[in-house]
Amino acid sequence: MLKLTKKADYGLMALKYLAEHPETPALSAKDVADAYVIPAQLLAKILQLLTKSGLLRSHAGMNGGYALARDARQISAYEVIHAIDGPFFITSCTKGTKSCELTPSCTIKEPLARVNETIAGVLKSISIQDLAESEPPPGRAREAQALVALTL
Amino acid sequence: MLKLTKKADYGLMALKYLAEHPETPALSAKDVADAYVIPAQLLAKILQLLTKSGLLRSHAGMNGGYALARDARQISAYEVIHAIDGPFFITSCTKGTKSCELTPSCTIKEPLARVNETIAGVLKSISIQDLAESEPPPGRAREAQALVALTL
DNA sequence: CTGAACGCGGACCGAAGAAGTCGGATATTG
DNA sequence: CAATATCCGACTTCTTCGGTCCGCGTTCAG
């Protein structure tokens, strides 16, 4: 409940890894899969998704692999998750496609949709670059650049 | 991915319903299940969970049922979700129980943990009362009372 | 005191989605 | 040509969610 999939995790990890190695022209799926210890074939499919979404550029053949399509600072965590897991909604009852039918049930959904947007906003404000940077010095914390207002 | 379960939805709906009927001493699971159109037996179990967590007070026997244990304003959406779905983490890799083992993989998780806390903060700032109020007049929007800072 | 209405709680099952595997086609380079 | 890549769909396996069933304890009305 309310957790992102391993695929999305893997995708974020992979992008972070690519962001940390800007010098290399391309890294193969296997390279990344070895660096972390995730199954190579699975990672490959994830990277393919990210390529289709325009976040990565791929190059087949020997010495091929993947590279970031844009600057790491221009890629948000939201885009990655969206590319891998599709559009995400907090509510099971995604209003729009007459899912809640007759029942006037979904009075809850209205305020929860705001929460949904808030979370999306937070995710959009985080870039791959942020992920790649924020780890080495344990004490140092980058100052808040994301400030999100929630109105019910 | 990243959506809350129907059980949590049902729980929120039920609490909202109870908040809207403060006069009645107790409403049975069936009452609420009929109001919205959700399966009664399932709702019953959810209400039991909420009772065990201290959010509701139950009364067995004829004319029994459930009532809010506290004021609707004192119950947060976070508590409800937590009571029903258990502790929630964005990351599949909940650090703490040596889940990420040897792999130095989870460099991602550190910043994502912040996101997790941010979301939890938003959820904590929403009360059942908010849910019960925010619907009738479509144009009117309560002003932002939740302002969340995210620091990476 | 007896039975109906209710909460309690465990066992169970089907469906759906996530995680991961396999196999083959295509492209690129040495 | 051969090795190394991406690419892409089908498939199996595993877990979890949504939901049902049944039996028990409690309360209250007649």
Side-chain angles (χ1 to χ4, degrees), chain A residues 58-112:
Chain A
S58 65
H59 182 53
M62 280 193 58
N63 299 323
Y66 299 90
L68 296 182
R70 318 175 213 154
D71 187 281
R73 206 171 288 282
Q74 303 299 320
I75 301 177
S76 72
Y78 177 86
E79 289 179 280
V80 178
I81 296 171
H82 185 279
I84 296 174
D85 288 338
F88 84 128
F89 298 99
I90 284 292
T91 63
S92 1
C93 207
T94 70
K95 100 172 173 182
T97 55
K98 79 177 199 86
S99 35
C100 264
E101 286 123 30
L102 309 171
T103 88
S105 322
C106 298
T107 41
I108 304 281
K109 309 313 166 59
E110 191 190 334
L112 283 190

Side-chain angles (χ1 to χ4, degrees), chain B residues 14-93:
Chain B
L15 287 208
K16 168 178 178 253
Y17 190 74
L18 290 175
E20 288 171 343
H21 300 77
E23 64 284 3
T24 66
L27 287 169
S28 75
K30 189 170 183 307
D31 290 338
V32 183
D34 287 347
Y36 307 95
V37 191
I38 61 194
Q41 305 221 37
L42 181 56
L43 210 234
K45 289 219 287 200
I46 294 169
L47 295 181
Q48 287 165 26
L49 280 176
L50 295 174
T51 303
K52 270 207 305 185
S53 302
L55 301 180
L56 291 179
R57 298 213 178 281
S58 65
H59 183 52
M62 281 193 61
N63 300 324
Y66 299 90
L68 295 181
R70 319 174 214 154
D71 187 281
R73 207 171 288 280
Q74 304 299 321
I75 302 178
S76 71
Y78 177 85
E79 289 179 281
V80 178
I81 296 171
H82 186 278
I84 296 173
D85 287 338
F88 85 129
F89 298 100
I90 283 292
T91 63
S92 0
C93 205

Side-chain angles (χ1 to χ4, degrees), chain B residues 77-123:
Chain B
Y78 177 85
E79 289 179 281
V80 178
I81 296 171
H82 186 278
I84 296 173
D85 287 338
F88 85 129
F89 298 100
I90 283 292
T91 63
S92 0
C93 205
T94 71
K95 99 173 175 183
T97 55
K98 80 176 198 87
S99 35
C100 263
E101 286 122 30
L102 310 171
T103 88
S105 323
C106 298
T107 42
I108 303 281
K109 310 311 165 59
E110 190 191 335
L112 284 190
R114 311 299 182 97
V115 178
N116 195 66
E117 289 170 23
T118 303
I119 297 175
V122 172
L123 257 15

